[in-house]
Amino acid sequence: MRQRKSLHPLDGAFQMARPALLAVGFFSLCINLLMLTSPLYMLQVYDRVLVSRSLDTLLLLSVVALGALIVFGMLEAVRARVLVRVGARFDRGLADTVFATVMQSGAGAQPFRDLETIRTFITGRSLIALFDAPWTPIYIALVYFLHPWLGHVALFGAVILLVIVQVNETATRRPLKESAGEIALANQFVEAGSRNRDTVQAMGMLPGLSKVWHHWHDAGLTLQALASDRGGIIAGAAKFIRVGVQVAILGMGAYLAINEITSAGVMIAASIITGRALAPVEAAITGWRSFIQARESRLRLHDHLARSLDAGDPMQLPEPIGELVFDNVFACPPGSQRPVLSGINFRLDPGTSIGLTGPSAAGKSSLARLMVGVWVPMAGEVRLDGAELGQWSPSILGPSIGYLSQDVELFPGSVAQNIARFGDINADAVVDAAQLAGAHETIVQLEDGYETSIGPGGTNLSGGQRQRIGLARAFYGRPALIVLDEPTSNLDAVGEGAVRAAVDALKNTGSTVVLIAHRPSLVDGVDSMMVVQDGKLTHFGPTAEVMPKITRRPSSVVSTIGAPE
Ligand SMILES: Nc1ncnc2c1ncn2[C@@H]1O[C@H](COP(=O)(O)OP(=O)(O)OP(=O)(O)O)[C@@H](O)[C@H]1O
Ligand SMILES: [Mg+2]
């Protein structure tokens, strides 16, 4: 039942920009026509004014030329303004989608940097050169019209410059692409380091981290320098060719004028037109780097969005009641080919509590991520109320799921905002969730109660407070399916008791609650038990049946997961 998105958002954004770009094309047409003002003026001055010595004609020509140049300047300014707005609109049109997909995929800030690179390209000089490029052949045709020999010289120059463009592409493409990769790695390193600065500081990891970061950063810079060196030589050669061709035109024009084949005005006009004809080609060479970077960014962003949005259009389904089915599920962590869970089958009834236990690295957290749709199975299906998780619209699925990950992360904002998941705050539901989580007392003791603002990463709270608020966030609105991954790892006995009570309370109001714990002791009050070992579901059934099996055979599970107290 999956439908593919009809249009990739990046293509959509380019399509939105098309009318404005057509307008820019129209401005470019006018600008390039007005560009002919000075060669025409020269032609007239040399061939008419200087011959007739008429000052009136000179004055008239000058006034007309001045008027044309004023319009020309204004159009240039308007064209630049339009492009700035196209860039901003392009960015705004995609920013929300990119933000959402970055949040979902954990891709870091790279997609944003790519978006910025594309926007900068749209507003920069290089794109304008692209708009002027179609005029190169027209200008060369004009030079041919002035005299074929002059046309030959101009054409020769253009061909040589095009060859140089190609050489430039070959010489700089690889180092530019590789340097972008190395710099991206260095940036990822910085992001990870600043997220975990406590660990870095406490254990004096700075020199070691700095060495590794330096390696990537340096490699990126070296490659960039290599590309710039090559680009610099090539740009120099291009400038030499363009100016050289203009001089050659003057020389050839002089020769033709001396032999009275053409006038002196033709010589000057042909030189100006040739310069203009070759300018976009030369600009393409100097602007090549931003062009390549924009192209790479476009590809990367395209891929990122395609991957993140591949799940297809969600269907509008009624709110789930919490029946969760795993049908022969195999799963690999994102970006890996190694299955960490295989052949998982089970059905969880709505309004029941389930304990999930097993040794470290058995795959409990992975199973939790599959249950809440953070991971997508490689094979098999995860269905909530009969519909695959990917088919649910996020706006319905999100509020119907409560998830406490093993590493609780809170966001900068107030306690209430965090519990209400940064949506519209329903005060009653916030307090209900906090009470269930045993967090209400701690919260009201905070400086500003529910309005206390949480710093980045929740660093102004204790580990236990963070976990309690994380629990409250999972309980907010009493979702149909609640998955708690090691919810008591930072809690004292009172907190553990609160979690047990909350599981019962939530179960009684119809939620399906999955409780993950190393130690079977936390989960001995639940309705049924699951045991995962080495990526496989080894036991699943009523607690009364499963618990004796896993506690009686010390050689298998108990030795690794600990006996109940
Ligand atoms: N994002 C990931 N990328 C690569 N491998 C992963 C990822 N997450 C988990 N794994 C691997 O999957 C296996 C199961 O990990 P998982 O976190 O599910 O274990 P767990 O049962 O929750 O362990 P613990 O009790 O220590 O939390 C491990 O071998 C781990 O290396
Ligand atoms: Mg885990």
Side-chain angles (χ1 to χ4, degrees):
M1 283 278 276
R2 285 193 170 178
Q3 308 160 350
R4 281 204 59 83
K5 283 235 180 268
S6 50
L7 187 63
H8 189 286
L10 196 57
D11 299 334
F14 278 116
Q15 231 171 54
M16 283 250 301
R18 195 170 289 165
L21 290 179
L22 280 177
V24 172
F26 175 72
F27 288 136
S28 302
L29 172 95
C30 302
I31 287 168
N32 279 286
L33 283 177
L34 288 169
M35 204 54 221
L36 293 172
T37 304
S38 63
L40 285 176
Y41 181 74
M42 282 301 184
L43 262 182
Q44 296 302 314
V45 168
Y46 268 80
D47 298 350
R48 204 168 288 210
V49 177
L50 291 186
V51 177
S52 68
R53 298 184 163 262
S54 156
L55 284 180
D56 287 347
T57 317
L58 179 63
L59 187 66
L60 181 71
L61 280 174
S62 301
V63 170
V64 171
L66 183 68
L69 288 178
I70 289 174
V71 176
F72 166 79
M74 288 190 328
L75 281 177
E76 278 270 20
V78 170
R79 175 166 76 166
R81 271 178 78 92
V82 171
L83 282 177
V84 168
R85 274 147 194 78
V86 171
R89 236 178 98 181
F90 178 84
D91 191 322
R92 275 199 211 103
L94 277 174
D96 284 348
T97 314
V98 172
F99 185 80
T101 54
V102 163
M103 291 294 129
Q104 279 158 16
S105 64
Q110 188 62 41
F112 277 109
R113 283 194 282 268
D114 288 334
L115 187 58
E116 189 178 330
T117 308
I118 301 174
R119 193 195 62 223
T120 317
F121 177 74
I122 293 176
T123 46
R125 293 297 314 168
S126 326
L127 187 63
I128 289 185
L130 280 185
F131 274 103
D132 288 339
W135 285 82
T136 298
I138 298 173
Y139 286 140
I140 291 178
L142 271 177
V143 179
Y144 265 103
F145 179 73
L146 289 172
H147 195 276
W149 290 5
L150 298 173
H152 290 331
V153 177
L155 182 63
F156 174 74
V159 170
I160 299 265
L161 279 181
L162 283 177
V163 170
I164 293 182
V165 167
Q166 193 53 48
V167 170
N168 192 31
E169 154 88 359
T170 321
T172 57
R173 183 185 189 153
R174 255 198 45 203
L176 278 180
K177 191 174 166 171
E178 283 171 12
S179 82
E182 314 260 329
I183 300 252
L185 273 172
N187 285 339
Q188 277 172 17
F189 214 77
V190 172
E191 281 165 21
S194 63
R195 259 200 318 274
N196 300 294
R197 56 189 180 283
D198 283 0
T199 313
V200 173
Q201 242 178 37
M203 297 192 283
M205 289 162 68
L206 192 59
L209 288 180
S210 154
K211 214 164 102 184
V212 179
W213 170 79
H214 195 82
H215 168 79
W216 295 119
H217 186 66
D218 209 47
L221 286 189
T222 310
L223 283 165
Q224 251 179 26
L226 176 72
S228 298
D229 281 350
R230 289 181 182 173
I233 294 172
I234 292 168
K239 187 157 267 172
F240 165 75
I241 296 290
R242 182 176 61 81
V243 179
V245 167
Q246 272 183 279
V247 171
I249 293 260
L250 284 175
M252 173 76 74
Y255 174 81
L256 293 172
I258 290 169
N259 288 304
E260 297 190 353
I261 301 172
T262 60
S263 64
V266 165
M267 168 182 87
I268 304 286
S271 171
I272 296 176
I273 297 177
T274 306
R276 185 63 193 175
L278 302 186
V281 190
E282 195 194 336
I285 293 168
T286 40
W288 199 246
R289 183 161 146 186
S290 61
F291 178 65
I292 291 199
Q293 281 170 342
R295 192 175 56 188
E296 294 294 330
S297 287
R298 191 197 136 118
L299 286 177
R300 245 196 322 263
L301 192 58
H302 199 280
D303 277 2
H304 163 78
L305 290 174
R307 247 183 289 118
S308 314
L309 300 169
D310 211 20
D313 279 337
M315 294 192 304
Q316 289 302 322
L317 296 167
E319 264 188 45
I321 56 167
E323 184 212 47
L324 188 70
V325 174
F326 270 54
D327 187 358
N328 205 21
V329 169
F330 288 74
C332 303
S336 151
Q337 297 298 321
R338 190 176 58 94
V340 293
L341 286 170
S342 42
I344 309 282
N345 286 294
F346 61 78
R347 197 180 87 94
L348 307 183
D349 292 325
T352 59
S353 58
I354 302 95
L356 168 56
T357 184
S360 240
K364 302 183 295 296
S365 298
S366 307
L367 194 57
R369 293 187 195 108
L370 285 160
M371 287 176 173
V372 296
V374 177
W375 286 6
V376 181
M378 180 182 67
E381 287 188 349
V382 177
R383 290 192 298 269
L384 183 64
D385 287 21
E388 253 195 295
L389 279 185
Q391 291 182 1
W392 290 87
S393 137
S395 59
I396 291 185
L397 189 62
S400 302
I401 285 191
Y403 174 52
L404 179 77
S405 64
Q406 199 164 359
D407 317 299
V408 187
E409 269 270 17
L410 300 176
F411 299 94
S414 72
V415 171
Q417 275 180 313
N418 269 277
I419 295 180
R421 305 166 176 199
F422 286 82
D424 297 332
I425 298 177
N426 175 337
D428 291 340
V430 168
V431 174
D432 172 58
Q435 277 170 340
L436 276 173
H440 180 71
E441 279 72 33
T442 350
I443 295 172
V444 290
Q445 277 163 20
L446 292 173
E447 207 175 329
D448 296 316
Y450 280 92
E451 288 312 310
T452 308
S453 77
I454 295 177
T459 38
N460 53 349
L461 298 172
S462 78
Q465 282 172 329
R466 267 205 297 279
Q467 197 155 32
R468 282 185 165 94
I469 294 173
L471 274 167
R473 180 174 62 188
F475 296 158
Y476 180 69
R478 302 206 174 203
L481 174 66
I482 298 172
V483 179
L484 308 174
D485 196 348
E486 302 285 355
T488 56
S489 57
N490 281 311
L491 299 187
D492 51 16
V494 179
E496 198 171 310
V499 171
R500 286 169 194 253
V503 170
D504 284 338
L506 287 161
K507 183 182 86 170
N508 291 335
T509 48
S511 302
T512 310
V513 191
V514 178
L515 201 56
I516 300 176
H518 281 108
R519 301 149 68 85
S521 64
L522 177 71
V523 293
D524 61 5
V526 295
D527 299 330
S528 44
M529 289 271 298
M530 290 177 156
V531 182
V532 178
Q533 272 180 296
D534 210 10
K536 298 206 168 50
L537 187 63
T538 52
H539 300 80
F540 176 50
T543 309
E545 284 174 24
V546 175
M547 195 60 102
K549 288 189 201 155
I550 59 169
T551 47
R552 233 188 301 119
R553 297 198 343 240
S555 60
S556 59
V557 190
V558 171
S559 55
T560 39
I561 60 179
E565 283 121 65

